[in-house]
Amino acid sequence: MTFETELRDRLHAGVDQTEIDLGALLDGSVAYGTRVVRRRRLFRIFAGAATVAVLGGVFAHAGSLNGPPDDGIPASTSTTALQEAITPQAALKILLETLPTAGQKGDFTGWPEGIGTQDGLSASLGYTDGGSTATVTISLLNHRFPPECVAGADLNCRIDTLANGSKLQLVENQSSGSSGNYKHLQANLYRKDGLVITLLSENREEYNPGTSPSRPPLSLAQLKAVVISPRWQRQVNPALVDGATGLFTPRPLTQPSSPAAKGSK
């Protein structure tokens, strides 16, 4: 008899009379099997979620590569539950981020547009570049009126139709009055979705009649680049609204004058 055969026989003889708790053994086997099935199921769930996240990133990247039309303006806009109405402070924050960074900026303010009922908003700042300072005001208006170049009133004015059907008006004016003589540059975008975006740059430096005013700190081309930005929307990311809250306190909405009491003279 070999050593292996003898060892096997002795092991069998030692355990032949041992009692086995089959109930405990069965319960343990079932519990182990349940854990294995649960782990496999969770693995499939997490793997599926990871796949969805990766594909979502791929599609988002593909969408960013497609980009907006040539003029930089979305053909249409949509509102989701994750967005909030733009505020004067949020409009100013976008303006700060879209203006040329070389200039100095300050004197922040803003207000809701309209009398009694809000019909848009405006935000304003002081912008200095090349020794010249202007008050720069962005306005987002919900009403639509056709752009027009007024002969005799506008020094230089042109209206172009962009690729998506929106109309862009560029105006250059000089004004004179009791407070002085000033240079005005303005870009007005009349979008197909009904939103009217205006950006006005008014030189703060007076000039003498018959002389040329100082060079505006912003050109018409720079104003155009700001108003055609796709960032101007009625609804924006809540993080933008929250992050801009501390820039200034908006002026209140203008209220209509109270009607005169009956019989008053």
Side-chain angles (χ1 to χ4, degrees):
M1 180 181 295
T2 64
F3 172 78
E4 290 82 5
T5 303
E6 182 179 1
L7 178 61
R8 182 191 62 199
D9 292 342
R10 290 190 178 185
L11 288 175
H12 277 296
V15 299
D16 280 345
Q17 304 302 320
T18 303
E19 294 184 1
I20 300 174
D21 189 348
L22 294 177
L25 182 60
L26 180 59
D27 291 343
S29 300
V30 171
Y32 175 79
T34 301
R35 287 197 300 271
V36 171
V37 171
R38 185 182 298 115
R39 287 173 184 169
R40 289 178 179 173
R41 186 174 300 159
L42 290 174
F43 174 79
R44 291 193 189 99
I45 293 173
F46 291 143
T51 302
V52 170
V54 170
L55 290 176
V58 171
F59 290 137
H61 178 63
S64 66
L65 292 179
N66 289 333
D70 294 342
D71 48 46
I73 307 162
S76 62
T77 58
S78 60
T79 302
T80 69
L82 298 179
Q83 294 179 317
E84 291 183 11
I86 191 171
T87 61
Q89 298 100 314
L92 179 68
K93 184 171 177 60
I94 295 175
L95 183 61
L96 289 169
E97 294 172 354
T98 51
L99 284 173
T101 57
Q104 300 177 356
K105 310 171 186 70
D107 302 332
F108 302 156
T109 186
W111 56 91
E113 291 285 357
I115 299 178
T117 301
Q118 185 170 348
D119 190 34
L121 55 85
S122 294
S124 179
L125 55 80
Y127 186 89
T128 303
D129 188 21
S132 180
T133 301
T135 298
V136 180
T137 303
I138 185 74
S139 297
L140 277 66
L141 306 174
N142 295 317
H143 60 83
R144 172 181 286 274
F145 48 93
E148 181 182 7
C149 290
V150 181
D154 297 327
L155 183 63
N156 289 305
C157 177
R158 61 177 294 180
I159 300 172
D160 297 319
T161 301
L162 303 183
N164 72 341
S166 299
K167 292 188 179 297
L168 175 69
Q169 180 184 31
L170 301 178
V171 184
E172 179 183 356
N173 273 320
Q174 295 177 3
S175 67
S176 59
S178 58
S179 59
N181 302 280
Y182 302 93
K183 180 85 167 181
H184 307 272
L185 299 179
Q186 187 167 357
N188 306 315
L189 182 67
Y190 300 80
R191 289 205 329 209
K192 294 285 287 183
D193 62 1
L195 185 63
V196 180
I197 305 168
T198 71
L199 184 60
L200 173 65
S201 173
E202 300 177 285
N203 272 34
R204 291 183 179 178
E205 296 84 3
E206 297 182 25
Y207 67 95
N208 296 322
T211 65
S212 298
S214 58
R215 178 185 66 83
L218 293 165
S219 67
L220 281 174
Q222 290 171 316
L223 298 184
K224 171 186 174 180
V226 172
V227 298
I228 67 174
S229 169
R231 297 190 63 185
W232 300 114
Q233 303 294 336
R234 294 184 177 91
Q235 302 286 326
V236 294
N237 193 309
L240 172 64
V241 176
D242 292 342
T245 302
L247 289 175
F248 60 86
T249 300
R251 301 203 298 262
L253 180 68
T254 302
Q255 297 298 323
S257 301
S258 300
K262 277 188 177 182
S264 61
K265 296 184 179 180

